[in-house]
Amino acid sequence: MKKIGIAVTDPDDWTGVSLCNSVEYYGMTAVKFSFNEATSDISSGKIYSGNIDLTALDAVIVRDLGPATHNDVSFRFDILCQLKELGVAVINSPESIAKAANKYVSSFLFRKNGIPTPKTIVTNNLDEAIAALSSFGRAVVKPVFGYKGIGVECVRDSESGVVKLKELFKDNRLIYMQEFIPNPGRDIRVFVVNGKVAGSIYRIAPEGGWINNLSQGGSAKPCVLTGEQERLALKAAAVIGTVYAGVDIIEGDYVIEINGTPSGKGIFEACGVDVTRMIAEYLERLI
Ligand SMILES: Nc1ncnc2c1ncn2[C@@H]1O[C@H](COP(=O)(O)OP(=O)(O)O)[C@@H](O)[C@H]1O
Ligand SMILES: [Mg+2]
């Protein structure tokens, strides 16, 4: 029986549990492991987590890489790359996870491939950031490697806005800033699996808020995509190279970002669609 590793930090995570169930549904064995316990023994060549030999797996599905420091993030990616080299099927591929996790790289690739995305500037120069803020009027500043809406800040072209921008700059001397796209208090999360739309939801910001992430208190409602939104989501996933992805769209239509380790819970709760079934089906055919 094919043995599939599910990389997940929280053993009770809905997506991790459902990936295990779906993998078993397709007649494969699922084993959960966490990158928090990953070890690579250079002398023996063994790469393992707890008592699981990762090099003996047929495939790894990455639900999440776990919380990691700067050093550690590259170690975790390096392990994925080495497993791939050793013949373990890794989905999403380490390259696509890296591109999706990096908002600078994904914004660059969207623009290069004609995918509409908000005007964005990424700079080490505070004066450039201040000049861009005055042209945007209202802007959104994000961590380049952020997720779940954490650290996403709204900044306005005002005295206090410039003060805030300077503070954000002090933290890591890099500013990723984009124009704020006016929207009806919601955005769209499209779940793409293997070149098809598996499901989509509106994410509605909580009262008085403007960040739509479900983990920031947003609520989910079923959404029927326009043909254009569907085309953009599929193109974004193709350009980044993800087998499965969550693509964030603001109506109008702009692709905001792509998530290479998305949760399937919101779409399941709002639409009854279990995206992990489609991921496991894809994997079963692949290996
Ligand atoms: N340019 C923007 N204009 C308006 N709202 C935005 C913009 N960028 C992000 N947001 C809001 O902030 C949320 C989080 O931003 P996102 O780029 O998806 O980062 P994260 O990786 O943290 O989810 C989005 O879902 C959306 O609600
Ligand atoms: Mg997002």
Side-chain angles (χ1 to χ4, degrees):
M1 239 192 336
K2 302 278 187 194
K3 206 168 166 187
I4 315 301
I6 314 289
V8 60
T9 312
D10 171 7
D12 298 326
D13 172 71
W14 184 91
T15 311
V17 171
S18 303
L19 280 168
C20 286
N21 292 339
S22 294
V23 159
E24 307 259 338
Y25 177 85
Y26 280 99
M28 304 176 281
T29 303
V31 283
K32 279 189 205 154
F33 71 93
S34 163
F35 267 101
N36 287 347
E37 280 138 49
T39 304
S40 180
D41 182 340
I42 299 297
S43 357
S44 68
K46 281 216 172 102
I47 304 175
Y48 55 96
S49 175
N51 56 6
I52 298 162
D53 177 0
L54 302 183
T55 64
L57 296 170
D58 293 291
V60 168
I61 305 177
V62 184
R63 161 64 185 108
D64 70 83
L65 282 174
T69 60
H70 234 63
N71 256 324
D72 206 9
V73 156
S74 82
F75 176 59
R76 293 171 190 220
F77 276 118
D78 293 340
I79 287 182
L80 286 181
C81 293
Q82 286 147 1
L83 291 175
K84 189 180 159 188
E85 265 179 51
L86 291 168
V88 180
V90 179
I91 64 164
N92 280 317
S93 71
E95 297 80 7
S96 67
I97 292 175
K99 283 181 199 157
N102 184 331
K103 286 194 171 59
Y104 166 56
V105 170
S106 33
S107 295
F108 184 88
L109 290 172
F110 293 156
R111 161 81 173 64
K112 186 176 166 214
N113 290 280
I115 296 170
T117 195
K119 284 181 193 148
T120 304
I121 187 157
V122 189
T123 178
N124 282 313
N125 182 334
L126 181 60
D127 293 336
E128 292 289 345
I130 292 170
L133 178 60
S134 97
S135 85
F136 293 164
R138 183 175 176 183
V140 180
V141 177
K142 309 179 193 181
V144 171
F145 288 96
Y147 50 89
K148 290 186 176 175
I150 299 166
V152 172
E153 300 273 356
C154 180
V155 182
R156 287 169 195 270
D157 181 27
S158 64
E159 231 169 87
S160 62
V162 172
V163 170
K164 192 164 169 189
L165 190 59
K166 285 181 179 166
E167 270 167 26
L168 291 167
F169 182 75
K170 239 197 287 169
D171 290 344
N172 52 12
R173 313 199 77 76
L174 177 67
I175 290 284
Y176 173 105
M177 181 170 67
Q178 62 188 195
E179 61 177 332
F180 178 88
I181 305 293
N183 63 81
R186 67 181 187 196
D187 70 1
I188 296 173
R189 161 56 63 95
V190 186
F191 208 106
V192 175
V193 183
N194 189 24
K196 291 182 201 72
V197 169
S200 53
I201 48 173
Y202 288 115
R203 298 184 304 184
I204 299 138
E207 197 60 35
W210 62 276
I211 295 177
N212 306 105
N213 299 64
L214 300 183
S215 44
Q216 299 285 331
S219 52
K221 289 253 166 63
C223 164
V224 177
L225 298 177
T226 64
E228 178 65 359
Q229 288 160 351
E230 179 163 337
R231 188 185 73 79
L232 292 178
L234 296 180
K235 189 163 180 191
V239 157
I240 303 296
T242 45
V243 166
Y244 68 97
V247 182
D248 294 349
I249 294 178
I250 291 185
E251 286 152 282
D253 289 307
Y254 297 88
V255 173
I256 296 293
E257 68 138 352
I258 180 163
N259 191 325
T261 53
S263 167
K265 190 177 175 211
I267 286 181
F268 181 72
E269 285 178 350
C271 315
V273 175
D274 182 354
V275 295
T276 69
R277 281 290 166 98
M278 297 172 72
I279 297 169
E281 184 188 10
Y282 167 84
L283 187 63
E284 196 253 341
R285 289 193 189 154
L286 181 75
I287 59 175

mmCIF file of all heavy atoms in Angstrom, residues 139-155:
data_model
loop_
_atom_site.group_PDB
_atom_site.id
_atom_site.type_symbol
_atom_site.label_atom_id
_atom_site.label_comp_id
_atom_site.label_asym_id
_atom_site.label_seq_id
_atom_site.Cartn_x
_atom_site.Cartn_y
_atom_site.Cartn_z
ATOM 1 N N ALA A 139 -3.508 52.649 1.393
ATOM 2 C CA ALA A 139 -2.664 51.513 1.013
ATOM 3 C C ALA A 139 -2.735 50.404 2.050
ATOM 4 O O ALA A 139 -3.194 50.606 3.180
ATOM 5 C CB ALA A 139 -1.214 51.973 0.852
ATOM 6 N N VAL A 140 -2.307 49.219 1.623
ATOM 7 C CA VAL A 140 -2.255 48.064 2.509
ATOM 8 C C VAL A 140 -0.795 47.622 2.575
ATOM 9 O O VAL A 140 -0.164 47.418 1.537
ATOM 10 C CB VAL A 140 -3.137 46.917 1.960
ATOM 11 C CG1 VAL A 140 -3.091 45.713 2.889
ATOM 12 C CG2 VAL A 140 -4.574 47.380 1.783
ATOM 13 N N VAL A 141 -0.268 47.517 3.793
ATOM 14 C CA VAL A 141 1.114 47.058 3.988
ATOM 15 C C VAL A 141 1.045 45.646 4.555
ATOM 16 O O VAL A 141 0.261 45.370 5.462
ATOM 17 C CB VAL A 141 1.885 47.982 4.959
ATOM 18 C CG1 VAL A 141 3.293 47.456 5.221
ATOM 19 C CG2 VAL A 141 1.956 49.398 4.384
ATOM 20 N N LYS A 142 1.840 44.744 3.975
ATOM 21 C CA LYS A 142 1.787 43.333 4.408
ATOM 22 C C LYS A 142 3.192 42.791 4.604
ATOM 23 O O LYS A 142 4.115 43.193 3.895
ATOM 24 C CB LYS A 142 1.136 42.467 3.316
ATOM 25 C CG LYS A 142 -0.174 42.972 2.800
ATOM 26 C CD LYS A 142 -0.694 42.049 1.705
ATOM 27 C CE LYS A 142 -1.838 42.705 0.965
ATOM 28 N NZ LYS A 142 -2.400 41.859 -0.085
ATOM 29 N N PRO A 143 3.316 41.814 5.510
ATOM 30 C CA PRO A 143 4.588 41.096 5.577
ATOM 31 C C PRO A 143 4.773 40.288 4.291
ATOM 32 O O PRO A 143 3.796 39.707 3.795
ATOM 33 C CB PRO A 143 4.420 40.141 6.774
ATOM 34 C CG PRO A 143 3.116 40.512 7.429
ATOM 35 C CD PRO A 143 2.315 41.305 6.447
ATOM 36 N N VAL A 144 5.993 40.262 3.760
ATOM 37 C CA VAL A 144 6.222 39.527 2.501
ATOM 38 C C VAL A 144 5.912 38.041 2.678
ATOM 39 O O VAL A 144 5.397 37.393 1.773
ATOM 40 C CB VAL A 144 7.681 39.745 2.014
ATOM 41 C CG1 VAL A 144 8.006 38.831 0.836
ATOM 42 C CG2 VAL A 144 7.878 41.194 1.599
ATOM 43 N N PHE A 145 6.215 37.508 3.876
ATOM 44 C CA PHE A 145 5.929 36.095 4.153
ATOM 45 C C PHE A 145 4.765 35.932 5.126
ATOM 46 O O PHE A 145 4.794 35.065 5.984
ATOM 47 C CB PHE A 145 7.175 35.388 4.710
ATOM 48 C CG PHE A 145 8.239 35.165 3.676
ATOM 49 C CD1 PHE A 145 9.297 36.056 3.545
ATOM 50 C CD2 PHE A 145 8.173 34.081 2.814
ATOM 51 C CE1 PHE A 145 10.278 35.864 2.580
ATOM 52 C CE2 PHE A 145 9.151 33.882 1.849
ATOM 53 C CZ PHE A 145 10.205 34.777 1.731
ATOM 54 N N GLY A 146 3.754 36.765 5.008
ATOM 55 C CA GLY A 146 2.636 36.708 5.960
ATOM 56 C C GLY A 146 1.574 35.699 5.563
ATOM 57 O O GLY A 146 1.577 35.153 4.450
ATOM 58 N N TYR A 147 0.664 35.459 6.487
ATOM 59 C CA TYR A 147 -0.468 34.570 6.215
ATOM 60 C C TYR A 147 -1.567 34.857 7.234
ATOM 61 O O TYR A 147 -1.332 35.517 8.256
ATOM 62 C CB TYR A 147 -0.049 33.094 6.285
ATOM 63 C CG TYR A 147 0.711 32.763 7.555
ATOM 64 C CD1 TYR A 147 0.055 32.357 8.703
ATOM 65 C CD2 TYR A 147 2.097 32.915 7.614
ATOM 66 C CE1 TYR A 147 0.750 32.096 9.867
ATOM 67 C CE2 TYR A 147 2.811 32.658 8.772
ATOM 68 C CZ TYR A 147 2.120 32.251 9.901
ATOM 69 O OH TYR A 147 2.808 32.003 11.062
ATOM 70 N N LYS A 148 -2.781 34.388 6.921
ATOM 71 C CA LYS A 148 -3.952 34.520 7.812
ATOM 72 C C LYS A 148 -4.253 35.967 8.191
ATOM 73 O O LYS A 148 -4.760 36.236 9.278
ATOM 74 C CB LYS A 148 -3.746 33.699 9.097
ATOM 75 C CG LYS A 148 -3.785 32.199 8.863
ATOM 76 C CD LYS A 148 -3.735 31.482 10.188
ATOM 77 C CE LYS A 148 -3.864 29.976 9.993
ATOM 78 N NZ LYS A 148 -3.711 29.245 11.249
ATOM 79 N N GLY A 149 -3.860 36.892 7.353
ATOM 80 C CA GLY A 149 -4.160 38.300 7.631
ATOM 81 C C GLY A 149 -3.338 38.898 8.768
ATOM 82 O O GLY A 149 -3.577 40.031 9.180
ATOM 83 N N ILE A 150 -2.346 38.140 9.260
ATOM 84 C CA ILE A 150 -1.543 38.621 10.393
ATOM 85 C C ILE A 150 -0.587 39.717 9.916
ATOM 86 O O ILE A 150 0.123 39.535 8.916
ATOM 87 C CB ILE A 150 -0.749 37.450 11.046
ATOM 88 C CG1 ILE A 150 -1.732 36.403 11.586
ATOM 89 C CG2 ILE A 150 0.172 37.956 12.150
ATOM 90 C CD1 ILE A 150 -1.091 35.075 11.944
ATOM 91 N N GLY A 151 -0.580 40.829 10.611
ATOM 92 C CA GLY A 151 0.349 41.920 10.286
ATOM 93 C C GLY A 151 -0.056 42.740 9.070
ATOM 94 O O GLY A 151 0.702 43.587 8.622
ATOM 95 N N VAL A 152 -1.260 42.492 8.515
ATOM 96 C CA VAL A 152 -1.745 43.288 7.381
ATOM 97 C C VAL A 152 -2.295 44.607 7.935
ATOM 98 O O VAL A 152 -3.130 44.609 8.827
ATOM 99 C CB VAL A 152 -2.842 42.509 6.608
ATOM 100 C CG1 VAL A 152 -3.488 43.381 5.549
ATOM 101 C CG2 VAL A 152 -2.253 41.246 5.988
ATOM 102 N N GLU A 153 -1.771 45.722 7.433
ATOM 103 C CA GLU A 153 -2.117 47.034 8.006
ATOM 104 C C GLU A 153 -2.630 47.976 6.920
ATOM 105 O O GLU A 153 -2.117 47.980 5.801
ATOM 106 C CB GLU A 153 -0.859 47.686 8.614
ATOM 107 C CG GLU A 153 -0.202 46.882 9.713
ATOM 108 C CD GLU A 153 -0.797 47.161 11.088
ATOM 109 O OE1 GLU A 153 -1.686 48.040 11.193
ATOM 110 O OE2 GLU A 153 -0.360 46.495 12.046
ATOM 111 N N CYS A 154 -3.613 48.783 7.302
ATOM 112 C CA CYS A 154 -4.098 49.816 6.388
ATOM 113 C C CYS A 154 -3.361 51.116 6.722
ATOM 114 O O CYS A 154 -3.249 51.481 7.889
ATOM 115 C CB CYS A 154 -5.593 49.983 6.584
ATOM 116 S SG CYS A 154 -6.275 51.219 5.511
ATOM 117 N N VAL A 155 -2.837 51.786 5.713
ATOM 118 C CA VAL A 155 -2.107 53.032 5.940
ATOM 119 C C VAL A 155 -2.653 54.095 4.986
ATOM 120 O O VAL A 155 -2.853 53.826 3.799
ATOM 121 C CB VAL A 155 -0.581 52.839 5.690
ATOM 122 C CG1 VAL A 155 0.173 54.119 5.982
ATOM 123 C CG2 VAL A 155 -0.019 51.712 6.541
#
